[in-house]
Amino acid sequence: MRVLAAMSGGVDSAVAAARLRDAGHEVTGVHLALSAKPATMREGARGCCSIEDSRDARRCADVLDIPFYVWDMAARFRDDVVEPFVAEYAAGRTPNPCLRCNEKIKFSAVLERARALGFDAVGTGHYARLSADGVLRRAADPDKDQSYVLGVLRPDQLDGALFPLGDSVKSEVRAEAAARGLVVAEKPDSHDICFIPSGDTRGFLAERIDAAPGEMVDPSGAVVGHHRGVHDFTVGQRHGLGIARPAPDGRPRYVLGLEPVSRTVRVGPAEDLDVTTLRATDPVWLAGAPADAVACVVQVRAHGGLAPATVRADGEGVEVVLAEPLRGVAPGQAAVFYRPEPGGDVVLGSATIASTGR
């Protein structure tokens, strides 16, 4: 096949491109320029869209002897990922921008352009397994599994995707990169939101959302503090609340809920974060919406947050009943549903969490 290999400048995408070439595909590398003003250098593990990353991707393409291009996707990335990210925080929700980047950029904008140029598929360095019949599964390396952030993709998007690293563990990938002479073999992984390389999400949002001060209230309704805007918080947050006095029982307080209209941040004890039901919208089903309630394992965060559950399609959304409580589930995050047996690693579908219940 003719394959467009998305090359971020990191070790995973470089090895993925190498494996696609070795598999006999006609591979072209492309680096996505997602920032209108990219930093010159990458700061350790922060970000992934610097000029240095672009140069690293090009150097790897040269070693692999494949064509290489840089595509300017900054405007699309701003419109489809960055601005919705800010809007979600302003509305009191907690989005996952990596998930939306996969959905809107890599397997929408990039895949559309690739197909228009005659490519058959887009290959990436994601850790996930995808069978020929479109079944998406967890990766062999549980510590690197990225099926959660791919769970929002539609069947037609997965039909144009290739994930060559799904059966490998990270140590194998680094060793392979070194053996191939790729300069990124020991390059640190990126752990931060790529468009906030400083890691200061609160500061980033403060520059884009007008302050809307309000009250912080405990479960009794008592005002225990004040804040400059609900966008400074996320459900489950413990640190940085700015509350001067401790709870009457001396236990830590957590953010329990955000109410942008009344500009209220609700805080309370950890046990009040437990939820047993979820309402989610914008569902995506990889094999069609289930006609009846189906048993599954639901994951509500990129790392952790798993519980057995029953999910039922309901009009434009889904109702999820958890078999055991989950703590600190934030509206705005994705709920990804996995088949419970065998192995619990097959993705059934996903939806965006709108609300939770106890």
Side-chain angles (χ1 to χ4, degrees), residues 56-144:
D56 284 345
R58 183 179 295 278
R59 292 165 71 189
C60 289
D62 288 343
V63 171
L64 299 175
D65 194 26
I66 61 174
F68 178 83
Y69 299 92
V70 175
W71 285 0
D72 182 358
M73 306 291 288
R76 182 76 179 261
F77 185 74
R78 180 198 64 221
D79 293 345
D80 289 351
V81 178
V82 179
E83 291 184 355
F85 173 86
V86 174
E88 284 287 276
Y89 265 101
R93 294 185 288 268
T94 305
N96 185 316
C98 296
L99 186 148
R100 296 306 166 200
C101 181
N102 288 328
E103 176 191 16
K104 301 292 187 180
I105 304 299
K106 293 173 184 172
F107 297 101
S108 180
V110 174
L111 181 58
E112 288 169 8
R113 184 183 293 187
R115 283 172 166 161
L117 292 172
F119 289 94
D120 301 300
V122 171
T124 71
H126 286 100
Y127 285 81
R129 289 182 280 188
L130 183 63
S131 64
D133 57 357
V135 175
L136 179 64
R137 299 169 54 205
R138 292 192 186 277
D141 187 341
D143 293 331
K144 297 299 295 181

